[in-house]
């Protein structure tokens, strides 16, 4: 195992410190926590909070800022943040308009964020949440009951964060979030697994000529392992599965997301076919996002996310954002 680290026990702390030092004009760390909070937060809006295990950077701390998240809670690598950390985020972000939590559907995340919600509500803070389950690959996995939350989570950050900036209420944000859950679908693949530094070995093994279809962002095995195909063939396979989840599509946003070690060259090759494939099906692409948005350490592979659009989604996708890793879409 080769990693550019110091102490495996101090990876997350050093990462957070490095991020704060790089972007001290935008971000700060809540003392004695692993919570990153925006400096310029408004005092008259619903606070938007997300988080989860580290190792998925730039998610989630990279999306803290104007028009997106007010706080990101950083757990240890691939480990849910503790309820007390989430609770500290809620307390510090709340300004009287309520707090909305965006939770990826992993058992630890759901349990710990829900416990923090109850702790905050006991102190009179109004809290609501959504559980993101955009991964169409599997219904249950190592980490999850039901479908996993993966890269589609970024669109919840963008749309719900913009709504909060636009002074929408907690109830309006929850209603939109429930609509988003129905209209965002994703699926991923890998040609190389990731390695957690504290473990020191690959999460699973692939031969040089193999790929895994339907992987999760923690290196969970997918739905099948097969010989590697061309970029176009792989993209078609993932896209067909995603499209089968929708009754009809006329206009969409698409994300081609790298898993951490995939060159942008390869991601653009995927997007080239994806764009033409959807266009041939008379599906209009309103926006394309290509890059590393929710990774899995050093995994090589990619995921595709498709959002079925309506006018509300489009309005808030186009709303101004200013974070360290995402500004305008």
């Amino acid at each position: 195992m080769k990693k550019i680290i110091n102490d495996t026990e101090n990876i997350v702390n050093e990462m957070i410190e490095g991020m704060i030092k790089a972007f001290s004009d935008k971000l700060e760390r809540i003392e004695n926590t692993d919570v990153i909070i925006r400096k310029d937060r408004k005092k008259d809006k619903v606070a938007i909070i997300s988080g989860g295990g580290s190792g998925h950077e730039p998610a989630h701390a990279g999306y803290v800022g104007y028009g997106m998240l007010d706080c990101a809670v950083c757990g240890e690598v691939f480990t849910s943040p503790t309820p007390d950390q989430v609770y500290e985020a809620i307390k510090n972000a709340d300004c009287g308009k309520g707090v909305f939590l965006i939770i990826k559907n992993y058992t630890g995340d759901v349990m710990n964020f829900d416990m923090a919600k109850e702790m905050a509500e006991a102190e009179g803070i109004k809290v609501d949440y959504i559980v993101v389950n955009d991964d169409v690959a599997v219904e249950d996995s190592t980490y999850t009951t039901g479908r996993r939350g993966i890269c589609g989570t970024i669109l919840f950050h963008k749309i719900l964060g913009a709504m909060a900036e636009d002074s929408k209420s907690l109830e309006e944000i929850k209603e939109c979030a429930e609509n988003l859950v129905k209209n965002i679908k994703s699926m991923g693949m890998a040609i190389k697994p990731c390695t957690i530094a504290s473990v020191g070995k690959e999460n699973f093994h692939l031969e040089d000529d193999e790929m895994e279809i339907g992987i999760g962002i923690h290196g969970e095995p997918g739905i099948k392992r097969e010989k590697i195909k061309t970029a176009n063939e792989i993209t078609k396979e993932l896209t067909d599965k995603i499209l089968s989840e929708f009754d009809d599509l006329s206009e969409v946003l698409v994300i081609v997301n790298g898993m951490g070690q995939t060159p942008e060259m390869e991601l653009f090759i995927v997007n080239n076919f994806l764009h033409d494939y959807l266009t041939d099906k008379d599906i209009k692409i309103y926006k394309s996002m290509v890059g590393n948005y929710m990774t899995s350490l050093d995994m090589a592979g990619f995921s595709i996310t498709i959002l079925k659009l309506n006018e509300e989604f489009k309005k808030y996708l186009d709303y101004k954002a200013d974070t360290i890793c995402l500004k305008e879409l």
Side-chain angles (χ1 to χ4, degrees):
M1 179 189 75
K2 293 181 180 179
K3 295 282 185 184
I4 303 173
I5 60 172
N6 297 307
D7 181 355
T8 57
E9 299 297 317
N10 203 35
I11 291 173
V12 173
N13 179 61
E14 290 184 352
M15 175 192 72
I16 292 172
E17 287 296 296
M19 184 179 294
I20 298 299
K21 289 170 183 173
F23 301 102
S24 58
D25 59 325
K26 295 180 181 293
L27 307 174
E28 58 187 349
R29 184 178 191 172
I30 297 175
E31 189 175 0
N32 299 319
T33 74
D34 290 336
V35 179
I36 294 175
I37 191 166
R38 58 184 276 200
K39 275 191 168 180
D40 66 339
R41 55 196 182 277
K42 290 168 63 175
K43 300 301 182 184
D44 59 349
K45 64 181 281 295
V46 172
I48 307 293
I49 297 175
S50 191
S54 297
H56 305 302
E57 290 71 33
H60 297 277
Y63 306 117
V64 173
Y66 182 91
M68 293 189 76
L69 300 179
D70 292 283
C71 274
V73 194
C74 305
E76 292 300 315
V77 176
F78 291 180
T79 303
S80 173
T82 61
D84 62 298
Q85 296 273 310
V86 181
Y87 172 59
E88 289 298 323
I90 294 171
K91 283 199 305 179
N92 280 271
D94 176 55
C95 58
K97 298 286 187 176
V99 176
F100 195 81
L101 308 177
I102 301 170
I103 311 167
K104 298 188 304 301
N105 188 30
Y106 295 95
T107 303
D109 286 2
V110 174
M111 178 177 66
N112 291 348
F113 273 76
D114 189 56
M115 289 176 63
K117 173 180 177 289
E118 292 179 0
M119 292 162 66
E121 287 175 333
E123 298 214 1
I125 301 173
K126 192 175 181 181
V127 185
D128 211 333
Y129 68 93
I130 195 71
V131 176
V132 182
N133 59 354
D134 56 311
D135 185 7
V136 304
V138 295
E139 285 296 329
D140 299 291
S141 71
T142 308
Y143 292 78
T144 303
T145 299
R147 289 182 164 180
R148 303 173 292 209
I150 54 175
C151 187
T153 309
I154 306 310
L155 298 177
F156 285 80
H157 297 172
K158 179 66 185 74
I159 292 171
L160 303 183
M163 290 185 73
E165 212 73 61
D166 194 32
S167 301
K168 296 300 181 182
S169 68
L170 190 63
E171 292 76 17
E172 289 171 311
I173 290 170
K174 176 61 178 283
E175 182 180 358
C176 181
E178 290 176 335
N179 195 15
L180 274 171
V181 164
K182 303 171 187 175
N183 289 289
I184 297 179
K185 309 295 178 184
S186 306
M187 189 169 172
M189 61 80 63
I191 57 173
K192 173 190 167 296
C194 59
T195 300
I196 301 174
S198 60
V199 176
K201 62 180 181 179
E202 296 178 337
N203 280 29
F204 58 94
H205 180 71
L206 290 173
E207 299 296 337
D208 289 343
D209 61 346
E210 289 182 327
M211 64 178 181
E212 188 88 14
I213 298 292
I215 47 88
I217 55 172
H218 303 98
E220 308 99 307
I223 54 176
K224 62 180 177 178
R225 184 169 300 181
E226 58 189 33
K227 299 297 183 183
I228 193 166
K229 300 176 181 177
T230 67
N232 290 359
E233 290 171 323
I234 299 168
T235 304
K236 181 180 183 302
E237 183 171 353
L238 298 185
T239 305
D240 284 344
K241 173 62 175 173
I242 294 170
L243 294 180
S244 72
E245 297 283 324
F246 293 102
D247 292 331
D248 64 279
L249 285 176
S250 57
E251 190 172 22
V252 299
L253 176 144
V254 298
I255 303 177
V256 177
N257 171 62
M259 302 305 294
Q261 201 180 105
T262 312
E264 287 195 353
M265 173 189 289
E266 296 175 18
L267 298 180
F268 283 119
I269 290 171
V270 169
N271 189 62
N272 179 54
F273 176 83
L274 177 62
H275 190 283
D276 292 345
Y277 191 59
L278 293 178
T279 300
D280 287 345
K281 292 180 176 292
D282 295 321
I283 299 171
K284 179 183 177 182
I285 300 173
Y286 182 68
K287 290 182 184 291
S288 296
M289 299 168 60
V290 181
N292 290 303
Y293 298 100
M294 182 172 288
T295 63
S296 184
L297 294 173
D298 56 343
M299 182 183 288
F302 70 94
S303 65
I304 294 172
T305 297
I306 295 179
L307 165 61
K308 180 180 179 180
L309 289 173
N310 62 28
E311 291 307 310
E312 182 178 49
F313 296 165
K314 287 165 68 173
K315 174 183 176 179
Y316 290 114
L317 286 168
D318 291 341
Y319 200 94
K320 179 184 175 182
D322 185 11
T323 73
I324 66 174
C325 290
L326 186 66
K327 296 187 181 291
E328 306 304 323
L329 292 186

